[in-house]
Structures are given as C-alpha cells and as structure tokens.
C-alpha cells in the first residue's frame, strides 16, 4: 500500500497525482475535473498522440510505447511510474479510459496498489459481471429486464450458428468485450446486426475464425432509433450502496464500425425503474466505484431492458459532472479521503454533446427529441468535455477539429441527406 496514505484534503493540491491511461476524451474529462477540484495536472499515458488531449495544459502527456506492448509491459511501466511518484511524496491514483484498461487495472490491482490508489473492483467480481452471459443470469435472479439471449460457444468446433427461438433480425456480440476489444481483424464490428440465418453463420465464422475464444451472444433485436437508448452511471461506496446516479436519453450514438454504440449526445432524463434496477444490481454483487449501464426502451412491452454493465466509468461520464457531481472528487472522497458521500441524483439541465447542432438537425428523426435538443443548443445549455475555456489555444483548435469532424463522419455512416 502507498506509504504516503492517508493524506488530508489540504495536502491534495501538492500531493495528488492522477494518472490516466489512454489519450481519449474520458481522460481529458477526468483531467478537467481533477484540475477544477484540486488544481492538479493529470499524467496521461498513451501509445499515440491524441492532439486534443496532448495539447492541453491540464495534462502531462506522455507517449509511451509500453501502452501498445501488452499487459506485462503496461504493468511494468506503471510500477516504475508509481514508485517514482511515491518517492517524490505523491499520492498516485490510476484510471483507464477503455474496457481493456479497466481489465488490466483490475487484474493487477493487488500489485499496483503498492503504489497507486486503484479505484476498480477485485478481478473476480470484475470478470464475473462483465461477461454478458453472467450479467444476464444476475438480471434474471433480480427480476431486471434484458433482451432474450442465446449463447454460441466459439470454442466448440461442433457448435452451429442457430438463433433458435429468436426471430430475425437479431443482434450478435461477444460476451467478453474486454478481450474482444483487443482483437484486430478485417470485418470486425463492435456489434453485428444480423438479418437472416446466413448472416448469423457468416458472423459466427468470422469471429471464431479470428481467434475469439468465448461466447457469441445472439439477442432479440429491440426496435427503435438511437433515442430509444438510455445510459446510466452510478457511483457506489465500499458497502455497495449507490451514492450518486446520473444518466439520460441517448440522442445520437456513434455509427462508425469501430466505435458503434458510443453515445455522442445525451439528454438528461431520470427514469425511476432503471435507477432502482441498477441500485439492486450494485448492492447484490457488492459493487464499489463507477458502473455504467447500457439500456434500451422496448416500445413493444413498455420496459427498459439492460444490455450490459461496464465496470468502469463510461466514455461519456462527464454528463455526471454536468449534473453537478465532479467525477474526480468522487474518486478522491471515496478512495483517498474515505469520506461519506451524500446521496445525489446528478441530472441537471445541460445537454452532454460531442457533435455540432447541425448533426442533430440532420440525423435525429424524432421531431420531439430533435426540437428539445436544438432548443438547448440555442440556449447555450450544452456541455462538451473538451470545451474548457482556460486551456491552451492549441487545445481549443484541436477540440474544434474533433467537433467539426463529426459532421463528415455522421454523413458518411448515416447518409448526407438523412
């Protein structure tokens, strides 16, 4: 355990040393919140130069080849970094910005805890609940709605790609997303929409042939556009009690094959059922820290159905900060200071968005949702994680490049005349 713990709040400005894996927008969102709460810069380590983040004065950006060299190299690098920071009297805290980062940090939590505060669940729990087949069994136990699902074993040479009792179209996706995310092969998609039995056989053969060793889940397709999706983020204390909750209605998600499913625009919306379901789940498994749930409203029976839990803060967790809960302060209060966190529903009235208004105007079909969202743009009630006015001119430039790039990307994957 870090010998520099415990630490008082008065010391945090001098001693807190956040470390974020990956240069993407979540790392910047946390760096922004750490800076706003404590005035500290975040060390961001990445294998590549993500300029919207590296150009920021809020971060100490380090391009580190080890980040692309596998788990052992990453853990060795972090151990050396942690040892260096502790020797300098710092209190390092490490977070990741992707599923595979979270898996590494959970797997090596005991080892890394010699130097870092590691705000992830122990690997036994992490691995259990992030396997979608196991997640659905827990939902079944607790009476939480989820899509009808069949599992195909990719390690069984005699397994057949048969959707059984499900009616096409169906959705196919790997049960173990943390392992699948690390794979690279032609034709890879995060989620596959399958129109018929021949299409399912093609996807099954593709994923199995690429070397994925796990279950391929085949699910009932729930109708509805992006605005039928819901995102819910919870933060739980060491007793498994949910202390902070935030979420909303997805207006648009990314439609590029490699990033499909990442919400890009979220309207704050409170739904009692999904808060209650998430709370029961977290308390049942003894969850601690950030969890992010993907949910979809099924107009056929009026129920909200849970797809999965991400055992980490999601890419869009900044919407919790927009709702009034600084996402960095929660980590420090729970894991560093050991403070009791008062219950808070952090929804607010600001739109979380990573896209210009023109993207919403062109690609959101639901007129009621589109009008509500565009009214928030006109009123200036929007929050873009990269839009921090106290940052550098270079960061402002690169954040706008990323922002306006979304116009071309959505036109390419959703149609320019949608």
């Amino acid at each position: 355990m870090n010998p520099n713990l415990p630490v008082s709040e008065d010391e945090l400005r001098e001693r807190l040393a956040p470390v974020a894996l990956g240069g993407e927008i979540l790392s910047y969102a946390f760096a922004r919140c750490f800076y706003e709460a404590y005035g500290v810069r975040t060390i961001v380590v990445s294998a590549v130069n993500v300029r919207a983040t590296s150009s920021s004065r809020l971060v100490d950006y380090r391009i580190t080849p080890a980040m692309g060299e596998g788990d052992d190299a990453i853990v060795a690098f972090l151990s050396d970094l942690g040892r260096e920071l502790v020797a300098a009297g710092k209190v390092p805290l490490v977070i990741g910005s992707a599923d595979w980062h979270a898996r590494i940090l959970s797997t090596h939590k005991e080892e890394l805890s010699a130097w870092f505060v590691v705000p992830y669940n122990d690997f036994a729990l992490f691995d259990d609940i992030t396997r979608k087949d196991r997640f659905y069994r827990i939902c079944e136990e607790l009476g939480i709605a989820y899509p009808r699902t069949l599992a195909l074993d990719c390690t069984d040479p005699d397994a057949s790609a048969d959707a059984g009792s499900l009616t096409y179209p169906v959705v196919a996706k790997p049960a173990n997303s943390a392992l699948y995310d690390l794979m690279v092969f032609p034709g890879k998609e995060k989620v596959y929409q399958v129109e018929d039995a021949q299409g399912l056989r093609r996807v099954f053969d593709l994923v199995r042939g690429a070397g994925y060793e796990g279950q391929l889940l085949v699910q009932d397709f729930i109708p509805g556009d992006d605005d039928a999706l819901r995102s819910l983020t919870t933060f739980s204390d060491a007793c498994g009690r949910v202390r902070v909750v935030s979420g909303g209605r997805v207006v648009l998600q990314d439609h590029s094959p490699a990033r499909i499913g990442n919400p890009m625009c979220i309207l704050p919306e409170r739904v009692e059922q999904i808060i209650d379901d998430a709370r029961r789940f977290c308390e049942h498994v003894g969850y601690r820290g950030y969890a992010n749930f993907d949910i979809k409203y099924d107009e056929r029976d009026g129920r909200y159905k849970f797809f999965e839990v991400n055992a980490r803060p999601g890419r869009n967790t900044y919407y919790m900060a927009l709702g009034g809960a600084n996402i960095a302060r929660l980590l420090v209060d729970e894991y560093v200071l050991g403070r009791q966190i008062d219950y808070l529903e952090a929804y607010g009235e600001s739109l979380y968005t990573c896209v210009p208004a023109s993207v919403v105007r062109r690609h959101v079909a639901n007129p009621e949702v589109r009008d509500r969202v565009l009214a928030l743009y006109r009123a200036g009630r929007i929050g873009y994680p990269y839009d921090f006015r106290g940052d550098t001119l270079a960061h402002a430039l690169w954040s706008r490049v990323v922002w306006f790039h979304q116009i071309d990307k959505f036109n390419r994957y959703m149609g320019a005349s949608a």
Side-chain angles (χ1 to χ4, degrees):
M1 186 68 180
N2 185 339
N4 293 328
L5 288 171
V7 62
S8 70
E9 184 169 17
D10 291 341
E11 297 174 287
L12 290 174
R13 181 175 291 271
E14 296 299 325
R15 299 183 59 197
L16 183 64
V19 175
L21 308 186
E24 298 295 336
I25 198 167
L26 179 62
S27 289
Y28 183 87
F30 268 105
R32 176 175 179 171
C33 288
F34 275 114
Y35 184 82
E36 290 173 336
Y38 307 107
V40 299
R41 298 172 76 209
T42 297
I43 298 171
V44 174
V45 293
S46 175
V48 297
N49 186 3
V50 181
R51 294 188 181 276
T53 303
S54 67
S55 58
S56 170
R57 72 179 183 88
L58 309 184
V59 307
D60 173 1
Y61 199 95
R62 304 184 185 184
I63 298 175
T64 308
M67 287 297 294
E69 296 174 352
D71 293 17
D72 291 345
I74 293 171
V75 172
F77 170 82
L78 286 176
S79 296
D80 289 343
L81 176 60
R83 190 178 295 108
E84 172 191 327
L85 291 170
V86 168
K90 301 293 186 180
V91 178
L93 182 152
V94 62
I95 55 174
S97 58
D99 283 337
W100 65 277
H101 296 150
R103 191 174 186 87
I104 290 172
L105 295 175
S106 177
T107 302
H108 298 276
K109 178 179 176 179
E110 183 175 357
E111 177 183 351
L112 292 173
S113 292
W115 318 108
F116 291 93
V117 175
V118 186
Y120 292 87
N121 289 276
D122 292 344
F123 184 69
L125 175 60
F126 178 96
D127 190 51
D128 189 33
I129 64 175
T130 55
R131 294 180 183 271
K132 295 182 179 66
D133 52 335
R134 174 59 181 150
F135 174 72
Y136 296 137
R137 286 199 292 272
I138 297 173
C139 287
E140 185 72 28
E141 293 172 18
L142 298 177
I144 296 172
Y146 64 94
R148 287 190 301 150
T149 303
L150 298 171
L152 304 178
D153 187 355
C154 291
T155 63
D156 181 359
D158 299 321
S160 61
D162 182 6
S165 60
L166 299 183
T167 302
Y168 290 96
V170 295
V171 172
K173 57 187 177 183
N176 194 328
S177 58
L179 294 179
Y180 181 74
D181 284 351
L182 297 177
M183 299 177 63
V184 178
F185 58 90
K188 178 184 176 181
E189 296 183 21
K190 185 176 180 181
V191 177
Y192 302 86
Q193 184 166 330
V194 181
E195 301 297 331
D196 52 33
Q198 181 179 355
L200 180 59
R201 285 193 296 272
R202 182 190 65 79
V203 170
F204 184 59
D205 290 343
L206 174 69
V207 173
R208 181 165 59 175
Y212 171 71
E213 296 181 348
Q215 292 186 326
L216 182 71
L217 300 183
V218 184
Q219 265 181 357
D220 177 34
F221 175 74
I222 298 176
D225 293 331
D226 290 357
D227 63 344
L229 298 165
R230 302 295 186 274
S231 178
L232 184 76
T233 296
T234 60
F235 188 85
S236 299
D237 64 17
C239 298
R241 299 174 301 179
V242 172
R243 307 313 301 153
V244 183
V245 61
S246 183
R249 183 175 190 171
V250 176
V251 179
L252 279 173
Q253 63 176 337
D254 202 318
H255 283 259
S256 61
R259 296 178 177 269
I260 191 167
N262 289 333
M264 301 293 284
C265 185
I266 300 176
L267 189 65
E269 179 187 84
R270 183 187 186 278
V271 179
E272 181 70 29
Q273 178 204 315
I274 63 177
I275 294 174
D276 180 63
D277 287 345
R279 179 184 293 115
R280 289 188 294 117
F281 179 90
C282 290
E283 292 179 356
H284 176 77
V285 303
Y287 196 89
R288 187 185 188 193
Y290 281 110
N292 175 240
F293 296 88
D294 294 334
I295 305 147
K296 192 170 186 180
Y297 176 72
D298 191 340
E299 61 183 11
R300 299 169 299 182
D301 58 12
R303 303 180 76 188
Y304 292 89
K305 297 182 178 177
F306 281 61
F307 286 154
E308 65 180 337
V309 59
N310 299 297
R312 63 178 183 89
R315 185 179 188 274
N316 42 62
T317 303
Y318 189 71
Y319 62 56
M320 184 177 273
L322 290 175
N326 182 296
I327 58 177
R329 188 178 291 279
L330 290 177
L331 289 176
V332 173
D333 283 350
E334 173 66 19
Y335 291 94
V336 178
L337 299 177
R339 282 182 169 170
Q340 179 174 319
I341 299 171
D342 294 334
Y343 182 73
L344 173 65
E345 294 189 355
Y347 286 90
E349 299 178 350
S350 293
L351 178 78
Y352 170 92
T353 186
C354 299
V355 300
S358 61
V359 173
V360 172
R361 189 176 298 111
R362 177 169 291 173
H363 298 291
V364 176
N366 185 319
E368 186 267 334
V369 172
R370 184 177 62 239
D371 290 348
R372 284 176 60 195
V373 170
L374 291 175
L376 292 174
Y377 277 94
R378 289 193 296 271
R381 287 164 45 193
I382 66 171
Y384 173 42
Y386 275 138
D387 194 11
F388 181 62
R389 294 186 179 181
D391 216 323
T392 66
L393 182 60
H395 167 77
L397 172 63
W398 284 109
S399 70
R400 289 297 105 182
V401 169
V402 173
W403 174 263
F404 287 112
H405 170 68
Q406 302 306 321
I407 297 173
D408 290 337
K409 188 170 73 171
F410 273 84
N411 285 347
R412 184 180 314 123
Y413 293 108
M414 294 190 71
S417 59

